[in-house]
């Protein structure tokens, strides 16, 4: 019986997903695309350097556009990869926002589905002392920050219905909208509006299942993705799961843009990997923010907590435009937006064993799971 399930559930994408998901032994990573000059599959992209002024880029922590390294990948028109364009110190700021600020109300997180509003009001405050003392603790109970799996911003994605609703939204964070605006301008999408965000929090055993982001009503707008912390393998496939995906390496600070013919491709994150280079954190995150920093990017005491968290974690922020320009939500009888999501079936916080996953027994298509 188990074999039948396995054979039925196996498609070209899943086969590669399982290969890279495997921990013992870890797959040979020599075929994983690294975004650096010299790989024949990559085309260097010259972004128009005056699309964003150096000053506007600097305000959100990005280097002047002429210093960015951006690539197209052969066979994936509309997919753009920007190798860490952040200025030193600024990734600290975005990591702190993801851990301290964005999980706060009125934004929504996975813990809200299981806990009272009071207990999820301030994950940072309830966790930071425990995280700091973790080594000296006898019981290894996870802090709420460590249990955080996702946060939604703007129009809150409903994991049950896989839709957005006009009734269920909160203000999109201004600084993240500015960062997104800057990146979308640089990539030739001046009309992009940051309307929804999904933040994913990964630990060393987490993965994100095979999926397509098709719930947004406007697919002509790009999807922006920002990665921080430990590295990961990203699989980019085709319009069907029968297309074998290309494995790509994502490191801290890297930005991906899925647009045009690549906007609706299947993709997944089968594995988180320690960043290359040996230290606890990637070099771009290892220097603590300077205390006399005029931008006040992240206080040393906040960074102490972020650093403890990030040594075993990766954070990914995706930003989406939901409605087409001037568009609105369709009139539907279905007013699910006001209701808090009941289930959590697509972005699971459940513990799933790798064994079950390898047998193809998990039916969920969009899960951040942990062994
Ligand atoms: C997503 C997604 C990729 C990543 O949230 O839809 O595909 O790198 N994230 O975490
Ligand atoms: Mn996605």
């Amino acid at each position: 019986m188990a074999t039948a399930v396995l054979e039925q559930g196996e498609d070209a994408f899943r086969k590669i997903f399982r290969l890279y998901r495997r921990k013992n032994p870890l797959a040979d990573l020599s075929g994983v695309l690294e975004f650096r000059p010299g790989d024949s599959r990559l085309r260097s992209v010259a972004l128009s350097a005056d699309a964003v002024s150096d000053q506007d880029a600097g305000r959100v922590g990005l280097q002047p556009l002429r210093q960015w390294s951006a690539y197209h990948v052969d066979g994936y028109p509309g997919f753009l990869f920007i190798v860490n364009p952040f200025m030193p110190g600024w990734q600290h700021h975005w990591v702190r926002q993801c851990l301290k600020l964005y999980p706060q109300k009125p934004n929504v997180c996975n813990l809200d589905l299981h806990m009272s509003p009071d207990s999820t009001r301030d994950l940072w405050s309830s966790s930071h002392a425990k995280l700091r003392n973790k080594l000296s603790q006898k019981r290894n109970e996870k802090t709420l920050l460590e249990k955080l799996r996702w946060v939604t911003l703007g129009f809150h994605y409903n994991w049950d219905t896989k839709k957005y609703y006009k009734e269920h939204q909160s203000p999109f964070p201004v600084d993240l909208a500015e960062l997104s605006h800057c990146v979308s301008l640089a990539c030739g999408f001046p009309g992009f509006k940051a309307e929804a965000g999904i933040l994913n929090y990964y630990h060393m055993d987490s993965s994100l299942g095979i999926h397509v982001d098709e719930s947004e009503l406007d697919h002509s707008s790009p999807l922006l993705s920002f990665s921080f912390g430990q590295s990961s393998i990203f699989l980019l496939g085709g319009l069907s799961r029968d297309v074998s995906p290309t494995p790509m390496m994502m490191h801290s600070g890297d930005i991906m843009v899925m647009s045009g013919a690549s906007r609706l491709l299947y993709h997944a994150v089968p594995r988180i990997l320690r960043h290359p280079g040996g230290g606890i954190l990637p070099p771009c995150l290892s220097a603590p923010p300077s205390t006399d920093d005029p931008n006040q990017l992240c206080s040393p005491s906040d960074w102490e907590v972020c650093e403890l968290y990030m040594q075993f974690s990766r954070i990914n922020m995706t930003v989406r435009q939901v409605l087409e320009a001037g568009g609105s939500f369709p009139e539907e009888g279905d007013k699910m937006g006001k209701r808090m999501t009941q289930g959590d079936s697509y972005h699971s916080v459940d513990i799933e064993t790798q064994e079950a996953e390898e047998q193809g027994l998990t039916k969920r298509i969009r899960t951040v799971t942990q062994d």
Side-chain angles (χ1 to χ4, degrees):
M1 250 341 259
T3 319
V5 171
L6 181 67
E7 280 168 5
Q8 247 179 21
E10 194 79 333
D11 50 55
F13 199 123
R14 182 157 189 89
K15 208 170 148 203
I16 305 294
F17 182 91
R18 288 200 304 117
L19 173 75
Y20 287 107
R21 176 95 190 92
R22 201 180 64 195
K23 207 168 189 183
N24 286 314
L26 198 62
D28 171 11
L29 302 182
S30 59
V32 180
L33 187 55
E34 286 274 7
F35 289 84
R36 49 183 171 231
D39 193 302
S40 62
R41 294 168 286 182
L42 299 180
R43 302 275 160 262
S44 196
V45 180
L47 299 171
S48 89
D50 51 5
V52 180
S53 72
D54 293 359
Q55 203 186 18
D56 285 350
R59 253 200 289 274
V60 290
L62 295 169
Q63 293 178 357
L65 260 58
R66 61 188 168 281
Q67 285 170 27
W68 294 16
S69 302
Y71 296 96
H72 283 314
V73 182
D74 277 353
Y76 297 94
F79 178 78
L80 185 74
F81 194 101
I82 304 161
V83 179
N84 177 20
F86 289 95
M87 295 193 296
W90 273 87
Q91 286 192 50
H92 299 73
H93 164 79
W94 293 109
V95 166
R96 197 264 318 263
Q97 298 298 76
C98 288
L99 290 176
K100 186 172 182 179
L101 195 70
Y102 299 152
Q104 289 179 22
K105 305 278 174 294
N107 302 332
V108 179
C109 74
N110 63 294
L111 301 171
D112 295 325
L113 309 182
H114 313 290
M115 300 174 70
S116 70
D118 263 357
S119 43
T120 59
R121 197 168 308 283
D122 193 352
L123 306 183
W124 176 269
S125 300
S126 71
S127 304
H128 72 80
K130 281 193 214 144
L131 259 179
R132 280 203 179 94
N133 295 330
K134 193 102 197 195
L135 291 178
S136 57
Q137 269 181 7
K138 288 215 180 78
R139 275 178 7 158
N140 209 18
E141 203 178 301
K142 281 200 166 61
T143 60
L144 290 184
L145 262 188
E146 291 168 295
K147 291 182 183 168
L148 185 63
R149 288 291 173 274
W150 55 259
V151 168
T152 54
L153 311 169
F155 288 123
H156 297 287
Y157 184 69
N158 183 312
W159 304 99
D160 288 341
T161 63
K162 300 190 220 164
K163 287 184 184 177
Y164 299 96
Y165 297 88
K166 70 167 178 275
E167 298 86 359
H168 194 201
Q169 65 165 307
S170 47
F172 194 95
V174 172
D175 59 351
L176 184 52
E178 278 171 7
L179 174 67
S180 306
H181 184 59
C182 200
V183 171
S184 56
L185 272 177
C187 301
F189 294 95
F192 179 79
K193 278 166 70 188
E195 292 177 329
I198 299 181
L199 314 181
N200 291 312
Y201 300 78
Y202 297 84
H203 304 296
M204 296 316 288
D205 288 322
S206 311
S207 61
L208 178 68
I210 308 164
H211 70 281
V212 175
D213 292 287
E214 58 190 357
S215 304
E216 297 73 28
L217 301 173
D218 177 19
H219 298 148
S220 67
S221 291
L223 187 150
L224 312 181
S225 153
F226 303 85
S227 295
F228 301 110
Q230 301 301 331
S231 302
S232 66
I233 296 175
F234 180 75
L235 298 178
L236 183 61
L239 290 169
S240 114
R241 290 174 57 139
D242 295 328
V243 178
S244 198
T246 300
M248 307 175 180
M249 199 64 88
M250 284 193 286
H251 300 297
S252 195
D254 291 344
I255 301 177
M256 280 185 345
V257 179
M258 293 175 80
S259 71
S262 289
R263 176 64 180 75
L264 294 175
L265 299 184
Y266 276 96
H267 56 280
V269 179
R271 174 135 305 280
I272 308 300
L273 297 164
R274 291 207 72 79
H275 74 92
I280 292 173
L281 289 178
C284 54
L285 278 181
S286 25
S290 142
T291 39
D292 52 9
D293 169 16
N295 291 311
Q296 304 275 302
L297 294 178
C298 177
S299 72
S301 68
D302 279 359
W303 184 249
E304 217 184 294
V305 178
C306 294
E307 190 179 30
L308 285 166
Y309 181 93
M310 294 308 279
Q311 36 181 319
F312 305 112
S313 311
R314 166 178 185 262
I315 299 177
N316 176 258
M317 319 190 285
T318 53
V319 180
R320 301 123 193 271
Q321 175 167 337
V322 175
L323 301 170
E324 58 187 88
S328 54
F329 283 96
E331 283 305 322
E332 295 185 81
D334 157 29
K335 293 267 193 282
M336 296 275 291
K338 282 210 169 116
R339 205 194 85 190
M340 177 61 85
T341 46
Q342 297 296 308
D344 190 15
S345 55
Y346 289 92
H347 227 95
S348 172
V349 290
D350 294 350
I351 309 290
E352 290 192 60
T353 66
Q354 189 166 346
E355 193 189 337
E357 215 174 285
E358 285 186 348
Q359 285 170 15
L361 298 176
T362 52
K363 296 210 178 58
R364 287 181 286 233
I365 53 159
R366 195 170 197 286
T367 53
V368 171
T369 61
Q370 213 178 345
D371 294 338

